[in-house]
Amino acid sequence: MKTLLVYAHLLPACVSLGILLIQDSALAKSRGKALSASAIKDLTKSAEVMFVALVVLWITGLALVLLGYLENPQQYLMNEKLWAKFTVVSVLTLNGIALHYFSFPRVTSRRGLLGLPTIEQMLVTLTGAISSTSWLFACYLGIARPWNYTVNYSYVMFIYAGLLIAAIIVAGEVLRMMRAPEPPLLTEKVQLRTVRKME
């Protein structure tokens, strides 16, 4: 029973990670421009799958906690890594709500990311960075068995905070690169040189 629960708990996490990385890559390649109808359709499907995965993650996670508590009621809840994981998944969930109601409608709008006001661009980028980091770190905590009963809550959250800061910096740099004008294509360069020679 417990093995099946662990499998059911890990499966949605793996699916979500795969979808997350694929969609992040696709959004980065769009360079903040308006998305095509097919890209919006893919993003919508991905968001629906990740929502279901998050629900399954919570249900199976709580079931595993209940089983662990019943097996060892005196010590199981003393595992501070467990509480850190709940904190990270809670942040992930709240951020998911922000992604659904704030970021998603803006990314899929006709204006595209770069057509939004600067503050909205930054908030969309922020929610994306928090999402990627939280999913990755939550999955890591799920397999970090050596941390059980050996690390304290503040230590785990310090690492999480450091990863969040690093991810936000990287996301900000990606946004800056998106804002930079694209270099002209080779054909455009040739045409420009031709025009200059004719002048």
Side-chain angles (χ1 to χ4, degrees), residues 36-139:
S36 64
S38 61
I40 293 174
K41 186 177 179 180
D42 289 342
L43 195 61
T44 303
K45 286 183 178 178
S46 297
E48 291 172 353
V49 171
M50 289 188 72
F51 172 76
V52 173
L54 187 59
V55 171
V56 174
L57 200 68
W58 269 107
I59 293 172
T60 54
L62 291 172
L64 284 170
V65 169
L66 179 60
L67 278 179
Y69 177 75
L70 292 175
E71 290 175 357
N72 188 5
Q74 293 182 340
Q75 291 188 347
Y76 186 77
L77 296 180
M78 299 299 289
N79 182 7
E80 295 191 37
K81 189 207 80 172
L82 176 67
W83 296 109
K85 185 180 178 183
F86 267 110
T87 302
V88 173
V89 176
S90 296
V91 171
L92 189 157
T93 303
L94 292 173
N95 186 71
I97 295 171
L99 276 170
H100 182 76
Y101 290 104
F102 179 83
S103 300
F104 185 78
R106 284 161 176 78
V107 170
T108 56
S109 68
R110 293 181 179 179
R111 293 180 294 173
L113 178 62
L114 295 185
L116 301 173
T118 302
I119 185 65
E120 291 188 7
Q121 291 179 24
M122 294 172 65
L123 289 173
V124 169
T125 304
L126 178 66
T127 55
I130 293 173
S131 178
S132 299
T133 306
S134 299
W135 273 106
L136 287 167
F137 195 60
C139 289

Side-chain angles (χ1 to χ4, degrees), residues 1-14 56-65 67-68 71 76 81 85 139 141-145 148:
M1 178 65 180
K2 187 174 182 181
T3 304
L4 287 175
L5 267 177
V6 170
Y7 181 72
H9 188 64
L10 289 176
L11 194 59
C14 293
V56 174
L57 200 68
W58 269 107
I59 293 172
T60 54
L62 291 172
L64 284 170
V65 169
L67 278 179
E71 290 175 357
Y76 186 77
K81 189 207 80 172
K85 185 180 178 183
C139 289
L141 290 177
I143 62 170
R145 292 183 178 275
N148 288 336

